[in-house]
Amino acid sequence: MMNMFYKWRNAYKKKDPYFAYIHCDEMHGSSSLFDLCSEDESFIDLQLKKVSLFCDNLKKNYRGNLGYDLALINLDNQIERIVNKIDTDEKYKDTILVITSDHGCSSNYNPLRPKLQHFYDEAYHIPFIVYGKDIEPKIDNDFHISKDIMATFAELCGFEKPKHTTGISIFSSEKRKYVNQEYMGKGCPDLYRRPILMCAFDDNWKVYIKSYINKDKFEYKNLKIINIKEIRYHAQVTIRRSRARV
C-alpha cells in the first residue's frame, strides 16, 4: 500500500493540495506480520529483525496475543517510513499526517473479556495523532468521537466545517461532556434482526442498553436524545434495586 502511494505521489505534478487516504488492515486480521509487497529488501530485513527481537525478549508469563502484537510492530514500521519521508523529502514539506483508527482493540483479542465488544476503554480509545511542521506538540485528554475527524480536517486545511457534520474539531474550545456509542456486531448487521447495543459514558458513569429496531422503530432508546442526567438517574435506581434484591 505504501509503495503504491509513493509511486502515485512521485507522478503527481499538480501544484494543488491533495488528500491521500492510506488504509492499513493489519490489526483486523492479525495476519500481516510484515510487508509482503515491499520491493525494498533492506526494509523487509529490518522488519524481520524487529519481529525476532520482540519474540526473543518475550517473558515466560506473556499473556498477550502474539499475532496482534506482531501486526502492531509491522504497522509501527510503516508509520516510521511515512514520518521519515515527511522529514527528509522536499515533496512532503507541507504535509500534515493524521493517524487514526475506526476502533480500538476488540475483545476478540482478549479471551478474558465478555463479548460486550466496543464498550471497554481499550475499544473506545483510538489513536488520533496529528503531525506536521506547524503543529505544536500537546496531549489532549478530552472526549472525542469519530465524527470529530472531519471537522478537524476542515480546520487543518482552512476550510469551513461541512454543514451536515455534527463533529467538533479537536482544536476547538468547544468540548464534549460525554460520549455516545452504538454497536451492532461484526460484519454488515441486519438492523431489524440484531440487537443494537448503545452506550453513554463520561468520567464517572458508563451505561449501556440493548434495543431492537423492529421493536423500537422510533428509537426511543437512542442515547443521542437522552440527557446524561437522566441516564445517571436510571443507573442509580437500577443499582439501588439490585442492592435491595441482594
Side-chain angles (χ1 to χ4, degrees), residues 58-71:
L58 283 178
K59 297 180 180 180
K60 291 183 178 180
N61 61 345
Y62 173 75
R63 294 293 184 272
N65 183 301
L66 185 59
Y68 189 91
D69 288 339
L70 294 181

Side-chain angles (χ1 to χ4, degrees), residues 33 102 192 209:
L33 307 185
D102 57 341
Y192 280 89
I209 60 176

Side-chain angles (χ1 to χ4, degrees), residues 32-43:
S32 301
L33 307 185
F34 55 90
D35 191 352
L36 298 173
C37 301
S38 177
E39 299 172 359
D40 186 348
E41 293 184 5
S42 62
F43 177 68

